């Protein structure tokens, strides 16, 4: 794809005092694509969003939206939903929608009606009286009511029950299908896997994984063997060039295999596992492999 990226973050660094919250991040999001930004707490996701939107100043690097640094005109076509929704607690949803109607030329009243019923919201209630989940829903209804070309969503489904989480995902997918570009962060890897075509994983402010979901998932297989008793010592398995990493947890052995998974199955079959299968890598595996080696190894001695 050679199109100009809608979001272009290049060599971005944000330093607080002597601490690099984000270092040297380069990330581009193509038109109409959905990029999921993952990372443990404190890995720099919110900092990236804030600097991209001009709410904080980067220490180094450039951050462009539609080819230019964010300015007032950018916000005509961009919706940002921060992690903690920025709403006027003493106003109602109807008041907020009225603000949107007056402020955005693309405000779509019919779409707003649909969103209000989709999230089962009440227009007349003061926002401060709503639950956290309902406030998130209000922020999202406002964000989508202007049919934005660009959506930047920081943990958009936090505080929502699974039914509404699904609604949010569908809104994201639908918006991208209509040509919008989406950058969103989430702790829920399943959501990112379902919605995003592209994933970036941050750890300690550094980009450690970046690619399309399909290419990342296609890069490895997991051979999962379950044993009757304990996992046997398979001599030299961790050093096998076909294996990138092994993980032991109770009676389960998982080998992350870069090539010839059938060969690894044959090798493990010598130890008569109760069950053995070759699994596709999922996004959770990719995430844990990238950021959580220590979590993954908690159940055994690993590789
Ligand atoms: P995430 O959104 O991934 O949870 P953040 O971007 O909020 O992470 O934070 C990244 C790091 O920067 C954290 O270590 C956080 O404590 C630090 N940080 C964020 N904002 C500030 C600030 N205003 N002053 C100092 N440190 C900050």
């Amino acid at each position: 794809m050679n199109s100009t990226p809608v979001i272009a973050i290049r060599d971005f660094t944000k330093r607080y005092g002597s601490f690099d919250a984000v270092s040297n991040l380069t990330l581009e999001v193509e038109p109409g694509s959905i990029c999921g930004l993952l990372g443990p707490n404190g890995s720099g996701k919110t900092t990236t969003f804030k600097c991209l939107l001009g709410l904080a100043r980067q220490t180094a690097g450039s951050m462009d939206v539609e080819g230019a640094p964010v300015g007032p005109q950018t916000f005509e076509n961009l919706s940002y939903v921060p992690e903690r929704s920025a709403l006027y607690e003493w106003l109602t949803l109807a008041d907020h929608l009225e603000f949107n109607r007056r402020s955005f030329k693309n405000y779509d009243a019919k779409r707003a009606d649909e969103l209000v019923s989709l999230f089962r919201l009440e227009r007349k209630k003061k926002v401060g009286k709503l639950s956290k989940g309902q406030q998130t829903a209000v922020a999202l209804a406002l964000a989508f009511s202007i049919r934005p070309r660009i959506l930047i969503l920081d943990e958009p489904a936090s505080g929502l029950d699974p039914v509404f989480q699904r609604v949010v995902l569908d809104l994201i997918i639908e918006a991208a299908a209509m040509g919008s570009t989406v950058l969103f962060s989430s702790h829920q890897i399943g959501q990112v896997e379902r919605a995003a075509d592209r994933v970036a994983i941050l750890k300690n402010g550094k980009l450690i994984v970046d690619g399309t979901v399909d290419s990342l998932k296609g890069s490895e297989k997991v051979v999962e063997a379950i044993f009757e008793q304990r996992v046997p010592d398979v001599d030299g398995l961790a050093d096998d060039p076909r294996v990138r990493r092994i993980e032991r947890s109770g009676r389960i052995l998982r080998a992350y295999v870069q090539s010839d998974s059938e060969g690894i199955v044959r090798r493990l079959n010598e130890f008569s596992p109760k069950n053995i299968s070759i699994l596709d890598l999922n996004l959770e595996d990719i995430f844990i492999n990238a950021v959580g080696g220590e979590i993954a190894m908690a159940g055994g001695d690993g590789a």
Side-chain angles (χ1 to χ4, degrees):
M1 231 192 298
N2 268 334
S3 44
T4 312
V6 173
I7 296 171
I9 300 171
R10 298 199 178 102
D11 295 322
F12 160 60
T13 294
K14 175 66 181 175
R15 197 167 294 141
Y16 291 109
S18 60
F19 171 70
D20 281 2
V22 180
S23 26
N24 260 310
L25 172 66
T26 292
L27 183 68
E28 294 184 344
V29 189
E30 305 292 334
S33 88
I34 304 175
C35 177
L37 190 59
L38 290 168
N41 279 334
S43 55
K45 303 180 295 293
T46 300
T47 302
T48 303
F49 290 150
K50 281 190 182 158
C51 291
L52 179 63
L53 294 163
L55 305 172
R57 186 175 259 287
Q58 68 259 39
T59 309
S62 66
M63 308 186 92
D64 291 341
V65 174
E66 294 188 315
V70 165
Q73 79 294 344
T74 321
F75 286 96
E76 299 212 342
N77 297 302
L78 182 151
S79 284
Y80 168 51
V81 178
E83 195 181 359
R84 273 179 281 275
S85 47
L87 300 166
Y88 300 105
E89 298 210 331
W90 62 95
L91 295 182
T92 64
L93 168 58
D95 297 329
H96 282 85
L97 287 169
E98 178 59 15
F99 269 151
N100 263 16
R101 189 184 70 75
R102 291 187 203 175
S103 311
F104 296 97
K105 62 175 187 299
N106 296 337
Y107 176 74
D108 182 338
K110 194 162 156 285
R111 182 65 176 149
D113 285 343
E114 287 167 9
L115 291 158
V116 169
S117 50
L118 201 57
F119 284 112
R120 296 192 208 126
L121 291 165
E122 288 175 52
R123 287 170 177 268
K124 298 259 162 71
K125 229 177 182 176
K126 286 208 168 81
V127 164
K129 297 251 186 301
L130 302 176
S131 70
K132 171 154 187 328
Q134 287 169 324
Q135 291 187 8
T136 303
V138 167
L140 288 161
L142 291 168
F144 282 92
S145 72
I146 65 162
R147 293 200 178 275
R149 281 207 299 264
I150 305 152
L151 277 150
I152 297 183
L153 310 171
D154 199 351
E155 295 283 341
S158 71
L160 296 180
D161 68 30
V163 172
F164 288 124
Q165 287 180 12
R166 179 61 68 94
V167 168
V168 178
L169 278 195
D170 288 346
L171 286 172
I172 291 175
I173 294 166
E174 210 176 276
M178 304 294 286
S180 299
T181 304
V182 185
L183 175 61
F184 80 111
S185 71
S186 178
H187 280 301
Q188 277 144 326
I189 295 168
Q191 289 180 351
V192 176
E193 182 156 21
R194 180 151 173 271
D197 39 52
R198 171 84 190 287
V199 175
I201 302 179
L202 288 178
K203 183 182 182 185
N204 297 331
K206 293 193 180 67
L207 184 68
I208 51 168
V209 172
D210 178 21
T212 65
V213 176
D214 288 342
S215 69
L216 293 170
K217 283 161 85 172
S219 64
E220 287 185 3
K221 294 275 180 194
V222 186
V223 175
E224 185 178 85
I226 303 166
F227 293 88
E228 202 82 59
Q229 301 295 327
R230 55 181 293 280
V231 172
D233 286 326
V234 185
D235 240 8
L237 184 64
D239 299 324
D240 189 312
R242 295 168 293 181
V243 175
R244 200 179 52 77
R245 192 168 78 83
I246 62 172
E247 190 183 294
R248 299 155 187 268
S249 169
R251 292 179 298 166
I252 302 172
L253 172 72
R254 280 190 203 98
Y256 293 88
V257 178
Q258 280 154 331
S259 63
D260 189 24
S261 29
E262 304 286 347
I264 300 300
V265 168
R266 281 195 296 277
R267 210 170 150 194
L268 288 173
N269 268 337
E270 290 167 24
F271 297 87
S272 311
K274 196 160 162 265
N275 189 4
I276 187 159
S277 33
I278 301 175
L279 308 171
D280 287 331
L281 208 61
N282 62 27
L283 197 54
E284 189 180 66
D285 295 318
I286 294 165
F287 182 78
I288 291 177
N289 279 341
V291 306
E294 60 282 0
I295 304 168
M297 287 195 227
D301 56 6

